[in-house]
Amino acid sequence: MEKQLTKGKIMRKLDIRFTKERDSKKISAQQKMIERLEEILPKRIAEKFDNVEVRIRTSSSQGFDVSGFDKNDKNKFLEYLEELWNDDSLLDGIDE
């Protein structure tokens, strides 16, 4: 687990990867979703966790990685992330 010091604090990271859409009709919707998540997730995460860098991108494989958390905080963070992910309002305002 990689930890970086930023101004004396451990930098915690969340890296979310979505499989890149190949269908031209879906590319625009995917980009809108990623832009919305980039706007909302850091704010919502900052409500409960300090110093978390959020990266959202397309990739050849989907998934996510969490680093820089101790075991207890990581479990709490993953529980909160699941809560956020299941929140239907997270993507409000996205026209599909």
Side-chain angles (χ1 to χ4, degrees):
M1 190 177 335
E2 178 183 321
K3 295 183 181 181
Q4 293 182 346
L5 295 179
T6 305
K7 296 181 185 176
K9 296 185 179 183
I10 295 172
M11 178 55 76
R12 299 185 271 185
K13 296 182 180 183
L14 169 62
D15 182 25
I16 300 173
R17 298 175 311 279
F18 291 98
T19 304
K20 189 170 186 169
E21 287 291 347
R22 305 273 183 236
D23 182 338
S24 60
K25 294 177 184 177
K26 293 181 180 180
I27 290 172
S28 177
Q30 182 181 55
Q31 188 58 41
K32 287 179 184 179
M33 177 194 63
I34 289 172
E35 289 171 3
R36 176 69 177 175
L37 291 173
E38 287 174 333
E39 176 188 342
I40 298 299
L41 273 182
K43 293 176 187 175
R44 295 282 301 272
I45 289 170
E47 293 172 2
K48 294 196 175 197
F49 295 89
D50 293 330
N51 301 318
V52 179
E53 178 185 322
V54 178
R55 181 178 182 200
I56 303 167
R57 60 193 172 104
T58 58
S59 176
S60 60
S61 63
Q62 67 182 13
F64 72 96
D65 293 308
V66 174
S67 61
F69 291 83
D70 67 30
K71 186 177 181 177
N72 188 41
D73 283 346
K74 183 175 182 178
N75 289 335
K76 289 178 184 177
F77 181 75
L78 290 173
E79 286 175 14
Y80 185 61
L81 188 61
E82 182 176 5
E83 180 182 316
L84 287 176
W85 207 251
N86 290 324
D87 182 351
D88 292 336
S89 70
L90 193 62
L91 294 176
D92 280 353
I94 300 276
D95 298 325
E96 294 185 298

